[in-house]
Amino acid sequence: MTKNFVVGIDLGGTKISGAFTDLEGNVLYKHTIPTNAFEGEKAVLDRIITVIKEVIKESGHSIEDVKAIGVGSPGPLDPKKGEILQTPNLPFENFQLIKPIQEKFDIPTFLDNDANVATIGEHLFGAGIGTKNMIFVTVSTGVGAGAIINGKIFRGNTFNALEVGHASVDKDGPMCKCGNRGCVEVYSSGTAIGRIANEAILEGKETSLTKYKTVTAKEVFIEAKSGDNVANEVLDFSLNYLGICISNLIVTFDPEMIVIGGGVSMAGEIVFNKINEVVKERCFKEMAAGCRIVPAGLGTDAGMIGAAALAITESE
Amino acid sequence: MTKNFVVGIDLGGTKISGAFTDLEGNVLYKHTIPTNAFEGEKAVLDRIITVIKEVIKESGHSIEDVKAIGVGSPGPLDPKKGEILQTPNLPFENFQLIKPIQEKFDIPTFLDNDANVATIGEHLFGAGIGTKNMIFVTVSTGVGAGAIINGKIFRGNTFNALEVGHASVDKDGPMCKCGNRGCVEVYSSGTAIGRIANEAILEGKETSLTKYKTVTAKEVFIEAKSGDNVANEVLDFSLNYLGICISNLIVTFDPEMIVIGGGVSMAGEIVFNKINEVVKERCFKEMAAGCRIVPAGLGTDAGMIGAAALAITESE
């Protein structure tokens, strides 16, 4: 009997989202519940299992139709052992979650970190379809990335490859929580954009940002669009570093495509224009010419669809 | 009939070196002549052919024993077309050299850039034997690199991957001849070490370097060892950036090994101590712990042996 469906689970700090999809990445049914991480690993595992049951049941198909299950989670984790080693925002430590799921359903189950899962999703069903060498960069709370090399996800020796958010681009730059200085993440993440804007406000600069009670990257993008000088300066500063990161990725991987996703990328033109400007200024012409820089193709369901894509590629 | 030998050619700016080797990388015979690049492409091609004939003849074997020929050359080049596109230090442009060699000897012939060839050589016969994910970095006139990913050389979309010498580590740093600013190469190459030392001398700093008519990286390493403060400051400054480059490579590729070769690496301890210090300070602990940083294993014949390794891997 051919099994033509998979389940993708996106395990996040606040919610667990599950999707029942076909092998072309079409979502037939999806369901989201709170993570309630404070209840501990066993309770979270039970909640994941509940979501899997729910999406299978409500899809109108049966468990026999499911080829594989994929789970995307914050890392660091060990995809081979199916274990989340630790997570900065979740109280997990050596959380073995793949084996119990696999045993519960008797379906092959796979785990990978959220950046890799999103990379596989973009490669299989999003902006990167058909590429052989592609880099996915996600810019939201942090800056993460994944690489498709010769058509396959590249994980590295300890499964942590593409932590390019923690490549230093200024030796004397601000301290990053990773211990390094001048990481791309301390300049270009959504968190960083908010921090830098708040620093400008505290310096007493005249800006329309003062009208907000709380200023995050979102407000900076809104006010920049309205013509506020300080908001535009903050973005120019932050996105310049993102451009340097992308230029460095091009000279390093010589990819045919860089896909950019995550909350910050949603601001669209202002982000991509700045990246393209910096790449044009800094990067080898031949390599830049060979590399398209494009927005992510999967929308808000990217996490679930990526996890489904992981299930599909790993069970092949 | 089994063909148990290959020929490796190292085409450089000043000389053409050829080696006749067995499939374990043992050099049975080698021969070096001047490149005489000023004579033009046709003359250089003839000189390469002369070296190939010579090493086969003097090896005591015959042309029928040669499985493949490998050529390493400065790039950028197109390994698929067998063409050197252009070279900063040689007067070549779209120099098609593989097809004529292949036709002349009726032996499969392969071309790659010198960094890739050295990477393949270190992987097959040098420090990186048996590794699956390895980065080779060469620090001499410039800073070049190559990557072994899943056991194979990774070339990228336009065959220019791993131009990490031109990844920027300081947005406002000195202009590089590539057009970018703050490239690792403008801080950490042998050329850069010499330049920075000469700047210090011009500033009138008190240093034993003034006793030399010409100061290059070599003299800086000698005087640093003798305890000269300025020479040590120059090296500390330059090698700090090399350490940042290596740390950035580790978070990017999560390799099991980084092999460092080239003239600057020959200075030994002072170079590796500084790199290890910076990596310890900056890099994720898990990834750093998983990655050995070691000196290149092939000596002065690395270019030829690498080209032989290219011939072996490509003809498999």
Side-chain angles (χ1 to χ4, degrees), chain A residues 75-77 113 155-163, chain B residues 250-254 286-287:
Chain A
L77 46 76
N113 69 57
R155 293 190 171 94
N157 183 38
T158 69
F159 314 111
N160 286 303
L162 274 295
E163 276 286 1
Chain B
I250 295 175
V251 298
T252 303
F253 284 97
D254 188 13
E286 305 77 20
M287 289 158 103

Side-chain angles (χ1 to χ4, degrees), chain B residues 213-247:
Chain B
K213 210 173 150 191
T214 312
V215 171
T216 68
K218 190 183 156 194
E219 289 76 32
V220 179
F221 278 109
I222 292 170
E223 294 308 309
K225 212 171 177 181
S226 303
D228 181 65
N229 280 341
V230 169
N232 275 299
E233 278 165 28
V234 168
L235 287 183
D236 196 65
F237 176 83
S238 283
L239 298 174
N240 185 28
Y241 282 101
L242 184 59
I244 293 172
C245 168
I246 300 296
S247 177

